[in-house]
Amino acid sequence: MTVKAIMPERLLSGRAAGSRGHRHAHPGDRELEFGRSGAVAPLSDRPDDVDSTSGRRSPATPATRGSRTSTTATRTTTTRTGAVGPAPSADDPAAPTAAFSFEDLVAAYFDCRRTKRNKPSALAFEASLERNLVALHDELVDGSYRPGPSICFVVTRPKAREVWAAAFRDRIVHHLLYNRIAPGIERTFIADSCACIRGRGTLYAAQRLEAKVRSVSANWSRPAYYLKCDLANFFVSIDKCILWSLLAPRIAEPWWRDLAALVLFHDPRPGVELRSRREVLARVPTHKQLRHQAPELGLPIGNLSSQFFANVYLDALDRFVKHDLRVRHYIRYVDDFVLLHESPAQLNAWLAAIAVFLPSTLHVVLNTSKTILQPVARGVDFVGHVIRPWRRSIRRRTLNAGLARVRELHDDELYQSINSYFGLLRQSPASHHERARLANLARQRGFSVARDLTKAYRRSGDAR
């Protein structure tokens, strides 16, 4: 079988294919040495990394430097069939060719490790970085790539919740897939769809909702009402077959469509490594545990791919609300969404229509215990912000939990935690009193605080 693909330059028979020098792979990273047996082309400069939790830019057109078209090679590979057709494979002469370069994979690696640099899995991968990236590239090109086992643990704040962490090399593939297909798909989302989209985090959602509240209430001069809804057990209730029917038509390139199917339909439960004690795992209700769902249901919370797939899934809800119900003031953050109107009767009519649409179309239901309909003058609690007449503040429960955490934290984590809460409070225009409380607590722990109460300074002797 013959495969022709864009491959990284290698050293053949222990001799360099070309001279290599020292080059910075990324601002702030150590230099990577090339020119020895097994080395690959220099890693691309990445001066404009974007936090993966909030989205990232689409990679630029791959540079030709450091990559070439390989000579024809022969491989013998055994492939397995995925849940929806075969995975990308070079065994089938009609199979689509891998449509990415080695530089694209390196870009995905830098995106992936941005907030995971000191994690054991990231350090283990980086210990043999060039070899691991080349091996992953080859598996993707020849179709032998399969996701590995995941790690499952439970976080207890603000409530007990399962988190599934894919292997580090699998997370690189998630970023590679996201970088390629997400920009085009996200452009089709409505402007009021938030979360895991670059520039549309919690602050964007809070500010946009505040503008909508001011619009519907004519700057608080007339009464208005809001309907806030939440989906019950959303991530473990997602039907993968329905999701695939929504996702597949939006991916034009066959190879990327096959890779998306491989990632989506991968079952992370076989071989999972449980990192939490049994009594901690038991704190998550059974109906909210992915381990107890049918194979075709549920996405693992904790993967970039799951967050992106969830937005694709609920884009159907956004279109129904905006285009069919013709709701003017609407915003959604993951599975929480808010509708605004002058009439509570109209909001109740929309609620009834949504309650029929969700189970019939997406096989999810509303959480009736979290459905709220009340005047906006009482305050709209959304994404950690509370919007009241003429002011927006941070949720009191969030502030109290943060202050309690700062009192208890060990000195090693204190500096980062204090400034993290200062950053959160800076998002709120009406937070001077709350920032003063945090500043007083920081001073008690030995920190100096900026005069405008926006940040704390390192103490002498603190490790950087």
Side-chain angles (χ1 to χ4, degrees):
M1 176 222 55
T2 302
V3 180
K4 193 172 184 181
I6 297 178
M7 299 287 287
E9 267 186 273
R10 310 269 188 92
L11 297 183
L12 306 177
S13 304
R15 300 181 61 184
S19 60
R20 297 280 189 260
H22 292 284
R23 179 182 179 185
H24 287 289
H26 188 265
D29 294 340
R30 62 178 177 83
E31 292 181 343
L32 298 178
E33 181 178 355
F34 301 92
R36 293 291 183 187
S37 179
V40 297
L43 306 183
S44 303
D45 290 332
R46 300 268 297 155
D48 53 349
D49 275 326
V50 179
D51 192 340
S52 64
T53 58
S54 59
R56 65 208 41 76
R57 63 172 177 78
S58 175
T61 302
T64 56
R65 181 179 179 182
S67 66
R68 62 181 177 84
T69 302
S70 70
T71 56
T72 301
T74 301
R75 295 182 184 274
T76 301
T77 309
T78 301
T79 60
R80 296 193 297 267
T81 301
V84 179
S89 173
D91 286 346
D92 182 2
T97 305
F100 73 100
S101 69
F102 189 73
E103 284 76 10
D104 293 332
L105 188 64
V106 172
Y109 161 72
F110 280 124
D111 285 339
C112 182
R113 73 151 197 187
R114 181 173 175 81
T115 58
K116 308 288 184 182
R117 184 70 187 274
N118 295 321
K119 299 293 184 181
S121 58
L123 294 174
F125 190 91
E126 190 173 355
S128 300
L129 176 59
E130 301 162 31
R131 181 177 302 172
N132 289 331
L133 283 176
V134 169
L136 181 57
H137 177 276
D138 289 352
E139 290 179 24
L140 288 167
V141 168
D142 65 27
S144 63
Y145 167 77
R146 292 296 180 273
S150 298
I151 296 171
C152 177
F153 58 93
V154 172
V155 295
T156 57
R157 290 193 308 267
K159 62 182 178 181
R161 188 190 302 271
E162 271 187 349
V163 176
W164 294 73
F168 187 79
R169 71 196 307 267
D170 295 333
R171 294 202 293 269
I172 295 176
V173 175
H174 297 169
H175 281 268
L176 178 71
L177 177 66
Y178 179 90
N179 288 345
R180 184 55 173 250
I181 70 173
I185 294 177
E186 288 175 350
R187 281 195 291 269
T188 67
F189 292 166
I190 66 171
D192 297 309
S193 171
C194 312
C196 197
I197 302 174
R198 184 181 181 184
R200 298 194 200 177
T202 56
L203 180 58
Y204 171 91
Q207 291 175 336
R208 194 163 181 87
L209 178 58
E210 184 177 23
K212 291 177 179 297
V213 171
R214 286 177 175 270
S215 175
V216 73
S217 65
N219 256 355
W220 306 102
S221 65
R222 66 187 182 198
Y225 298 83
Y226 76 92
L227 171 66
K228 181 181 176 183
C229 301
D230 177 80
L231 300 182
N233 312 318
F234 172 59
F235 274 93
V236 297
S237 301
I238 292 176
D239 189 313
K240 294 181 181 180
C241 295
I242 294 177
L243 174 55
W244 181 244
S245 70
L246 299 171
L247 177 64
R250 302 188 183 197
I251 307 176
E253 299 163 288
W255 191 88
W256 292 103
R257 188 164 56 245
D258 290 345
L259 182 61
L262 180 63
V263 172
L264 171 61
F265 287 97
H266 169 64
D267 188 348
R269 293 171 297 181
V272 64
E273 179 184 350
L274 300 177
R275 289 283 182 90
S276 295
R277 299 189 306 275
R278 183 173 301 177
E279 57 270 21
V280 177
L281 290 169
R283 295 177 61 179
V284 182
T286 303
H287 64 279
K288 294 189 176 184
Q289 295 181 14
L290 182 62
R291 292 176 292 134
H292 293 90
Q293 303 303 316
E296 70 277 6
L297 295 181
L299 295 179
I301 298 176
N303 292 340
L304 171 66
S305 58
S306 298
Q307 299 169 10
F308 169 66
F309 291 154
N311 274 337
V312 175
Y313 200 68
L314 290 183
D315 183 53
L317 170 64
D318 298 339
R319 292 172 182 270
F320 173 74
V321 172
K322 297 295 290 185
H323 300 164
D324 294 350
L325 299 184
R326 314 285 294 181
V327 179
R328 180 181 179 188
H329 300 295
Y330 162 83
I331 190 166
R332 178 182 61 80
Y333 190 92
V334 193
D335 61 331
D336 294 328
F337 55 96
V338 175
L339 294 79
L340 302 164
H341 199 267
E342 300 90 343
S343 168
Q346 179 63 72
L347 290 173
N348 273 319
W350 287 337
L351 175 61
I354 293 172
V356 172
F357 170 82
L358 288 172
S360 62
T361 305
L362 299 179
H363 293 182
V364 294
V365 296
L366 292 172
N367 186 341
T368 55
S369 65
K370 294 185 177 180
T371 300
I372 300 172
L373 174 58
Q374 65 178 15
V376 295
R378 294 184 182 178
V380 185
D381 187 338
F382 188 62
V383 294
H385 295 249
V386 180
I387 300 167
R388 295 187 177 90
W390 306 109
R391 70 191 301 266
R392 174 167 51 84
S393 59
I394 298 297
R395 183 187 297 157
R396 185 178 300 277
R397 184 178 64 189
T398 302
L399 174 65
N400 292 336
L403 295 177
R405 181 169 170 78
V406 169
R407 293 189 188 98
E408 299 169 359
L409 273 178
H410 189 270
D411 285 354
D412 294 343
E413 304 174 288
L414 199 54
Y415 172 76
Q416 292 85 351
S417 182
I418 289 175
N419 279 302
S420 175
Y421 283 112
F422 270 129
L424 174 64
L425 292 172
R426 283 202 305 269
Q427 295 182 358
S428 171
S431 65
H432 181 82
H433 177 68
E434 289 80 2
R435 284 185 284 123
R437 290 178 61 188
L438 179 60
N440 290 336
L441 186 56
R443 293 188 185 103
Q444 293 174 14
R445 298 296 300 267
F447 290 90
S448 297
V449 179
R451 179 176 297 179
D452 57 359
L453 307 181
T454 57
K455 64 179 178 179
Y457 298 101
R458 288 187 184 274
R459 298 172 298 190
S460 59
D462 278 352
R464 293 185 178 273

